[in-house]
Structure formats: C-alpha cells, structure tokens
Amino acid sequence: MYNSKYVISGLVIFLAVFSYPFWGNLASKDYTGPKLSLPADQKQCIEPVEFMRAEHMTLLNQWRDSALRDGKRVYVASNGATWEASLQKTCMSCHTNKAEFCDTCHLENAVEPYCWTCHVPPKGNE
Amino acid sequence: MKRSRRQFLKVASLSVAGLGAQLAAGGVTKAAAAVKPSYKEDALALKAKRWAMVIDTREFASKEDFDACINACNFAHNVPEIPGKTEIKWIWKDAYEHTFTETTNKYQSKEIEDREYFMLCNHCENPPCVRVCPTQATYKLENGIVAMDYHRCIGCRFCMAGCPFGARSFNFTDPRPYIKEINPKFPTRMIGVVEKCNFCVERLDEGKLPACVEAAPGKIHFGDLSDPESEVRKLLEENYTLRRKPALGTEPGVFYII
Ligand code: SF4
Ligand code: SF4
C-alpha cells in the first residue's frame, strides 16, 4: 500500500472521532432524567406513570375530541375512577407548577408544545 | 459456498417475515398493556334536540341590563375587550335597524325603534359558517349548537364571510393582554383564530344554563325548541317574536320577543 503510514494513522484518528459518542458515553455517568416537581398531596396520576409519560398527548387529543365533538366530558380511567376531561380543570389542578413540571421535561426533550398560547397555566407560574 | 439466487430469496423473505411477525407481536402485547379509553357524559348534563334562546327585549333598557349579560359571558369565556375595529364580540348590543335589517318600516313604534337589542351567534339550523369551514373547526352538534374547536382553526376567515350575522370575530392580536380577569377554567384564544358564542355548551354539559341566561333571570330564556312543552315553545306561542334575517333560510335559533 502506498503511504500506509498516513493512511492507517488517518483511519485510526477518523475511527476514534467517529465512534466518540459510543466510548464517550461509556466513560461518562449514566443519564438521569430531569427532576420534576410532583404534586405533594397525590400518590398517582390518573393512569400509570409509564403510560402518562409516553402517551399524555394522545390522551389529551382524545379528551379534546370526546369533549368537544361528542359532549362526553367524563373520562373513565383504567382503574375505574372518573375525571373531567379538561387540561385546565383536571391536569393543572394537581400539576400546579407548569415551569417545574411541563416545561422542565419538554425542555429536556427539545419539544415546544403550544398548549399554553390558549390554555391558561395555573396562577403563579406564568 | 456459493448461494443460488433462489436460496438467497428464500432466506431473505423468511427473515423479513420473522422480523415483521416479531414486531407485530410486540406491538400487540404493548397495545394490550396500554390503557383502554372510555368516556361518558356528565350525569347532570342538560340535553335537548334543538337548543334555542328567547330574548325578552322589553326587559332590556339600561346599560346595566345589557352589561350584566355581556360581562358574565366575557368572564366565563375569557373574551378580551379590545377597543376599535379589531374588537372581539360574543354577545353585544346594537340598534333596531342593525338587528332587524329586513323589517325597517318607515313609520312604526318609536319605542321599539329606539330599543337596543342583543346580538350573538344564532346557532343556525343551516349554518353557512359550517359549510365553508375547510378544516371542520366549526361544526354543528346534534343538539343544534354550532360549536368550534379552536385547535383546528387556521384563521382563513371563510366562516366570517359566510356568516350573515357578523357573529364571528377574528383575533388580529394576542388577546391575553386585553382580558380583564382571566378565568382559569376556560382557555383563551390565540392570535389568528376566529371565535364566537358557543351557547355555553361547556356549561350545558355540566348541567348549568348559559352564563348570559343566568345573569338575566326571567329576561333571557333557554330551552328545547323541539319540545312543545318547553318554556321557550310556550313563550313563542304566547308572544310575538322576530328572528334576524329569516329570509336567508339559515333558521336562527335565537328569538326576540318584541
Ligand atoms: S349566526 Fe353565523 S356563526 Fe352563528 S351559526 Fe349562524 S352563520 Fe354560523
Ligand atoms: S350563550 Fe353563553 S357564549 Fe353565548 S352569549 Fe350567552 S353567555 Fe355568551
């Protein structure tokens, strides 16, 4: 091979840089999710936490369609409890701290939902 | 080892099928573990086949009479008070000749001509606003209410052009700074969407009469137009009433006792 000295060292450097995300992460600490401020007086959300974490937007979309189009404004949760299908009246009455609940996680995940251009966040968190 | 094309295709298709089956099975178990949504109506919800409103215009004289209703509606729905041409109106008052444009006789009762009249969305039976909305952001419910889903409104304003009653307003600016006191139980709107009276569908669904009706007891009546025994039907039988622009055929659901 011509210039094997340069080619091989070039390849080694390239591979080292290219695979940085892998070995860089191995060396660093484990990722920890953001610290959210949770309602102090509640033990659990309306549905299991894994479901809420992954699917809350789907659920809110269903709430909207059910309330506005079908006039069915009562949500029957999987444990049988009933809730008013309303972001402001139900969700935000427990999650009164939008900045340290919604925003913290959305920021971490680089999503910018525009719920709050219309929906009113709880007082004191504007 | 040399593979024939045939062998290769066999192996490849089997592995794709296997992968697909695994994904599908995973998907199914995941869906089964997920939450099954179920919704129902509030037990208190007020129901009707065709909601209608009867306004006793003889009962509204002073500014306070009108303001009681207007303020109740504005607070209930976070309606901003924007001065000038970009104003937002859900319920407002205007002169006789602007309200009943088709019934302006040259010589008639001075008292009736000088009275002021409430205007709001008529929740028409044949609503042109619904026909022209390209996104179905505005739609007619089974109970006759012409409702809106602000999430879907793209601000094209076809509905404003379609409505012959001027019942719809457009948000030319962010309305929030113009809302005196924000009601945390109802959303506001944002710049670029249209809004209007919703016959208080959110209140009816939880068993309450509309805010303007509640603010004017005995002056504005609300009930089921399809029920001959209802209060509104009795009032229509006993009193002379007008509707706005009846010749257009939109069949308004707001009646005025003259
Ligand atoms: S009054 Fe106007 S906005 Fe209301 S239903 Fe009739 S056409 Fe639509
Ligand atoms: S029915 Fe409700 S939304 Fe319509 S004008 Fe009256 S208070 Fe406002």
Side-chain angles (χ1 to χ4, degrees), chain B residues 120-130 138 144-147 159-160 162-168 196-197 244 250-253:
Chain B
L120 64 154
C121 168
N122 285 293
H123 298 272
C124 308
E125 222 162 287
N126 310 310
C129 55
V130 170
T138 193
I145 294 181
V146 175
C159 59
M160 295 178 70
C163 172
F165 302 99
R168 292 172 167 267
K196 70 168 191 77
C197 156
R244 296 183 62 202
T250 70
E251 294 291 337

Short mmCIF file of all heavy atoms in Angstrom, two decimals, chain B residues 120-130 138 144-147 159-160 162-168 196-197 244 250-253, ligand 1:
data_model
loop_
_atom_site.label_atom_id
_atom_site.label_comp_id
_atom_site.label_asym_id
_atom_site.label_seq_id
_atom_site.Cartn_x
_atom_site.Cartn_y
_atom_site.Cartn_z
N LEU B 120 -75.88 37.86 19.04
CA LEU B 120 -74.93 36.79 19.32
C LEU B 120 -75.07 35.78 18.21
O LEU B 120 -75.91 35.96 17.31
CB LEU B 120 -75.24 36.16 20.69
CG LEU B 120 -76.56 35.43 20.87
CD1 LEU B 120 -76.42 34.39 21.96
CD2 LEU B 120 -77.66 36.39 21.27
N CYS B 121 -74.27 34.76 18.25
CA CYS B 121 -74.40 33.70 17.24
C CYS B 121 -75.80 33.09 17.34
O CYS B 121 -76.28 32.83 18.44
CB CYS B 121 -73.34 32.63 17.44
SG CYS B 121 -73.63 31.15 16.46
N ASN B 122 -76.43 32.86 16.21
CA ASN B 122 -77.80 32.35 16.18
C ASN B 122 -77.88 30.83 16.23
O ASN B 122 -78.97 30.28 16.24
CB ASN B 122 -78.51 32.84 14.92
CG ASN B 122 -78.88 34.30 15.03
OD1 ASN B 122 -79.72 34.65 15.84
ND2 ASN B 122 -78.24 35.14 14.25
N HIS B 123 -76.77 30.17 16.20
CA HIS B 123 -76.75 28.71 16.17
C HIS B 123 -77.77 28.20 15.16
O HIS B 123 -78.70 27.47 15.48
CB HIS B 123 -76.92 28.14 17.58
CG HIS B 123 -75.79 28.58 18.46
ND1 HIS B 123 -74.62 27.88 18.57
CD2 HIS B 123 -75.62 29.71 19.20
CE1 HIS B 123 -73.79 28.54 19.36
NE2 HIS B 123 -74.36 29.64 19.74
N CYS B 124 -77.53 28.64 13.93
CA CYS B 124 -78.45 28.38 12.81
C CYS B 124 -78.62 26.89 12.55
O CYS B 124 -77.70 26.10 12.76
CB CYS B 124 -77.92 29.03 11.55
SG CYS B 124 -77.52 30.78 11.74
N GLU B 125 -79.82 26.56 12.08
CA GLU B 125 -80.07 25.17 11.72
C GLU B 125 -79.32 24.80 10.44
O GLU B 125 -78.91 23.66 10.26
CB GLU B 125 -81.57 24.99 11.52
CG GLU B 125 -82.09 23.71 12.13
CD GLU B 125 -83.60 23.81 12.28
OE1 GLU B 125 -84.03 24.56 13.18
OE2 GLU B 125 -84.31 23.16 11.50
N ASN B 126 -79.21 25.76 9.52
CA ASN B 126 -78.42 25.56 8.30
C ASN B 126 -77.26 26.54 8.32
O ASN B 126 -77.27 27.53 7.61
CB ASN B 126 -79.27 25.82 7.05
CG ASN B 126 -80.57 25.07 7.10
OD1 ASN B 126 -80.59 23.87 7.34
ND2 ASN B 126 -81.67 25.77 6.88
N PRO B 127 -76.25 26.27 9.10
CA PRO B 127 -75.20 27.28 9.30
C PRO B 127 -74.22 27.38 8.13
O PRO B 127 -73.48 26.44 7.86
CB PRO B 127 -74.49 26.79 10.57
CG PRO B 127 -74.76 25.32 10.62
CD PRO B 127 -76.03 25.06 9.91
N PRO B 128 -74.24 28.51 7.42
CA PRO B 128 -73.28 28.66 6.32
C PRO B 128 -71.84 28.62 6.79
O PRO B 128 -70.95 28.17 6.05
CB PRO B 128 -73.64 30.02 5.71
CG PRO B 128 -74.53 30.69 6.68
CD PRO B 128 -75.15 29.65 7.53
N CYS B 129 -71.59 29.06 8.03
CA CYS B 129 -70.22 29.07 8.54
C CYS B 129 -69.65 27.65 8.56
O CYS B 129 -68.47 27.43 8.29
CB CYS B 129 -70.19 29.67 9.94
SG CYS B 129 -71.29 28.86 11.10
N VAL B 130 -70.50 26.68 8.88
CA VAL B 130 -70.04 25.29 8.96
C VAL B 130 -69.75 24.75 7.56
O VAL B 130 -68.77 24.04 7.34
CB VAL B 130 -71.10 24.41 9.66
CG1 VAL B 130 -70.76 22.94 9.54
CG2 VAL B 130 -71.22 24.81 11.12
N THR B 138 -65.26 24.42 12.77
CA THR B 138 -66.60 24.75 13.27
C THR B 138 -67.56 23.71 12.73
O THR B 138 -67.42 23.25 11.59
CB THR B 138 -67.00 26.20 12.92
OG1 THR B 138 -68.16 26.54 13.67
CG2 THR B 138 -67.31 26.38 11.46
N GLY B 144 -77.96 20.95 18.05
CA GLY B 144 -78.21 22.19 17.33
C GLY B 144 -77.18 23.28 17.56
O GLY B 144 -77.19 24.30 16.88
N ILE B 145 -76.27 23.07 18.50
CA ILE B 145 -75.27 24.10 18.79
C ILE B 145 -74.19 24.07 17.72
O ILE B 145 -73.71 23.01 17.33
CB ILE B 145 -74.66 23.88 20.19
CG1 ILE B 145 -75.73 24.11 21.26
CG2 ILE B 145 -73.47 24.79 20.41
CD1 ILE B 145 -75.24 23.95 22.68
N VAL B 146 -73.86 25.26 17.23
CA VAL B 146 -72.76 25.39 16.29
C VAL B 146 -71.51 25.67 17.11
O VAL B 146 -71.36 26.75 17.68
CB VAL B 146 -73.02 26.50 15.26
CG1 VAL B 146 -71.82 26.70 14.36
CG2 VAL B 146 -74.25 26.15 14.43
N ALA B 147 -70.66 24.66 17.21
CA ALA B 147 -69.51 24.73 18.12
C ALA B 147 -68.23 24.96 17.33
O ALA B 147 -68.22 24.90 16.10
CB ALA B 147 -69.42 23.45 18.93
N CYS B 159 -65.50 31.45 7.49
CA CYS B 159 -66.73 31.44 8.29
C CYS B 159 -67.24 32.84 8.54
O CYS B 159 -68.45 33.08 8.61
CB CYS B 159 -66.48 30.72 9.61
SG CYS B 159 -65.19 31.47 10.62
N MET B 160 -66.30 33.80 8.67
CA MET B 160 -66.73 35.18 8.91
C MET B 160 -67.39 35.74 7.66
O MET B 160 -68.35 36.51 7.74
CB MET B 160 -65.53 36.03 9.31
CG MET B 160 -64.93 35.62 10.63
SD MET B 160 -63.50 36.58 11.09
CE MET B 160 -64.25 38.16 11.43
N GLY B 162 -68.92 33.81 5.54
CA GLY B 162 -70.14 33.03 5.36
C GLY B 162 -71.26 33.43 6.29
O GLY B 162 -72.43 33.36 5.94
N CYS B 163 -70.94 33.87 7.50
CA CYS B 163 -71.97 34.20 8.48
C CYS B 163 -72.64 35.52 8.12
O CYS B 163 -71.99 36.55 8.04
CB CYS B 163 -71.36 34.31 9.88
SG CYS B 163 -72.54 34.94 11.09
N PRO B 164 -73.96 35.51 7.90
CA PRO B 164 -74.64 36.75 7.54
C PRO B 164 -74.98 37.63 8.74
O PRO B 164 -75.63 38.65 8.57
CB PRO B 164 -75.92 36.26 6.85
CG PRO B 164 -76.08 34.84 7.20
CD PRO B 164 -74.88 34.36 7.94
N PHE B 165 -74.56 37.22 9.93
CA PHE B 165 -74.96 37.93 11.14
C PHE B 165 -73.80 38.62 11.85
O PHE B 165 -73.98 39.16 12.93
CB PHE B 165 -75.64 36.97 12.11
CG PHE B 165 -76.83 36.28 11.51
CD1 PHE B 165 -76.73 35.00 11.01
CD2 PHE B 165 -78.05 36.94 11.44
CE1 PHE B 165 -77.83 34.36 10.44
CE2 PHE B 165 -79.15 36.32 10.88
CZ PHE B 165 -79.04 35.03 10.37
N GLY B 166 -72.62 38.56 11.29
CA GLY B 166 -71.47 39.20 11.92
C GLY B 166 -71.18 38.64 13.30
O GLY B 166 -70.68 39.34 14.18
N ALA B 167 -71.50 37.36 13.49
CA ALA B 167 -71.41 36.78 14.83
C ALA B 167 -70.00 36.35 15.19
O ALA B 167 -69.75 35.95 16.31
CB ALA B 167 -72.36 35.59 14.94
N ARG B 168 -69.10 36.43 14.22
CA ARG B 168 -67.76 35.89 14.45
C ARG B 168 -66.71 36.99 14.47
O ARG B 168 -66.81 37.95 13.72
CB ARG B 168 -67.42 34.88 13.36
CG ARG B 168 -68.27 33.64 13.46
CD ARG B 168 -68.09 32.72 12.28
NE ARG B 168 -68.67 31.42 12.57
CZ ARG B 168 -68.01 30.40 13.08
NH1 ARG B 168 -66.73 30.53 13.34
NH2 ARG B 168 -68.62 29.27 13.33
N LYS B 196 -66.44 32.88 18.68
CA LYS B 196 -67.83 33.31 18.75
C LYS B 196 -68.53 32.65 19.93
O LYS B 196 -67.96 31.75 20.55
CB LYS B 196 -68.56 32.93 17.45
CG LYS B 196 -68.76 31.43 17.34
CD LYS B 196 -69.71 31.08 16.23
CE LYS B 196 -70.11 29.64 16.30
NZ LYS B 196 -71.10 29.34 17.33
N CYS B 197 -69.76 33.05 20.19
CA CYS B 197 -70.61 32.44 21.22
C CYS B 197 -70.76 30.95 20.96
O CYS B 197 -70.94 30.53 19.82
CB CYS B 197 -71.98 33.13 21.18
SG CYS B 197 -73.33 32.14 21.86
N ARG B 244 -83.54 37.24 13.31
CA ARG B 244 -82.77 38.08 12.40
C ARG B 244 -82.70 37.44 11.02
O ARG B 244 -82.47 36.24 10.89
CB ARG B 244 -81.35 38.29 12.95
CG ARG B 244 -81.32 39.06 14.28
CD ARG B 244 -79.89 39.30 14.73
NE ARG B 244 -79.17 40.12 13.75
CZ ARG B 244 -77.85 40.15 13.66
NH1 ARG B 244 -77.11 39.41 14.44
NH2 ARG B 244 -77.28 40.91 12.75
N THR B 250 -81.32 30.49 7.06
CA THR B 250 -80.38 29.79 7.94
C THR B 250 -81.08 29.24 9.17
O THR B 250 -80.50 28.47 9.92
CB THR B 250 -79.23 30.71 8.40
OG1 THR B 250 -79.75 31.67 9.31
CG2 THR B 250 -78.57 31.40 7.22
N GLU B 251 -82.33 29.64 9.41
CA GLU B 251 -83.12 29.18 10.55
C GLU B 251 -82.42 29.46 11.89
O GLU B 251 -82.02 28.53 12.61
CB GLU B 251 -83.43 27.69 10.44
CG GLU B 251 -84.34 27.32 9.29
CD GLU B 251 -85.77 27.83 9.48
OE1 GLU B 251 -86.16 28.06 10.64
OE2 GLU B 251 -86.47 28.00 8.48
N PRO B 252 -82.32 30.73 12.25
CA PRO B 252 -81.67 31.08 13.52
C PRO B 252 -82.37 30.45 14.72
O PRO B 252 -83.57 30.23 14.71
CB PRO B 252 -81.80 32.60 13.57
CG PRO B 252 -81.97 33.03 12.17
CD PRO B 252 -82.74 31.93 11.50
N GLY B 253 -81.59 30.19 15.75
CA GLY B 253 -82.13 29.62 16.99
C GLY B 253 -82.27 30.65 18.10
O GLY B 253 -82.49 30.29 19.24
S1 SF4 C 1 -75.05 33.07 13.32
FE1 SF4 C 1 -73.32 32.99 11.94
S2 SF4 C 1 -71.72 31.96 13.14
FE2 SF4 C 1 -73.65 31.53 14.16
S3 SF4 C 1 -74.34 29.57 13.27
FE3 SF4 C 1 -75.33 31.21 12.07
S4 SF4 C 1 -73.91 31.50 10.36
FE4 SF4 C 1 -72.76 30.38 11.91
#
